[in-house]
Amino acid sequence: MHTHHSAAQPLTEYGPSALALLAGALLALMIHCNSRLAAYSNPLTASWLAHAIGLLTALLLWKARRRVPADASRPPRWAYLGGVPGALVVALAAITVNSPLAMSGTLALGMAGQMLLGLLSDRFGLFGMPRRLLQRHDALALPLVLSGCAILIFGA
């Protein structure tokens, strides 16, 4: 029996992965831009400027896509604190990119940190995430990424 695949199926199937890949590339670009700003001023000034421009961009995007959500309930209070780690990421990355870690080491260790928090969030249901038992491949992924970080930072 032949199954029919619609043209939208690849977008539905691979769209989130493509968006995550784009987000990672944009994160690298953001870190580079902010580190250049920090080199001409300091990490705190670069963070302030980046977040001010980000606020303006977010407001424009919000205005352009403004819709009334189907569920009018309020998010948990901690959900409003997303800007705090964002501000710390900008400031800390501006410092570490201009260190011996450089861009690749900063991004590699940042990805390892994201994986670690993601695995903990999945396992323990942190931040309202559904709990998920970790599989063998989950346990192997982090050491492999950390090994890659070590090779990238210290050489083969």
Side-chain angles (χ1 to χ4, degrees):
M1 175 188 236
H2 185 270
T3 58
H4 178 68
H5 294 288
S6 71
Q9 188 173 4
L11 182 60
T12 305
E13 190 174 339
Y14 300 113
S17 296
L19 291 175
L21 190 62
L22 177 61
L26 290 173
L27 179 64
L29 179 61
M30 178 198 74
I31 289 172
H32 174 67
C33 292
N34 292 334
S35 70
R36 292 305 242 168
L37 278 175
Y40 286 96
S41 58
N42 61 61
L44 189 57
T45 300
S47 180
W48 273 102
L49 286 169
H51 281 83
I53 293 166
L55 172 66
L56 292 174
T57 304
L59 284 173
L60 288 172
L61 290 170
W62 176 65
K63 267 303 224 192
R65 299 210 21 109
R66 201 164 157 188
R67 289 185 269 166
V68 177
D71 180 14
S73 64
R74 293 197 174 271
R77 289 186 185 197
W78 58 261
Y80 292 100
L81 298 176
V84 174
L88 291 172
V89 164
V90 170
L92 295 174
I95 294 167
T96 57
V97 163
N98 294 315
S99 76
L101 283 176
M103 175 71 91
S104 56
T106 297
L107 289 173
L109 289 173
M111 184 177 70
Q114 289 175 46
M115 283 186 68
L116 179 60
L117 184 62
L119 290 170
L120 290 172
S121 295
D122 285 348
R123 176 63 185 99
F124 298 109
L126 304 177
F127 312 109
M129 297 294 297
R131 288 181 184 220
R132 180 175 77 84
L133 289 177
L134 300 181
Q135 306 296 316
R136 187 176 333 146
H137 64 272
D138 295 322
L140 292 173
L142 189 59
L144 287 172
V145 168
L146 289 173
S147 299
C149 289
I151 291 169
L152 188 79
I153 294 166
F154 303 116

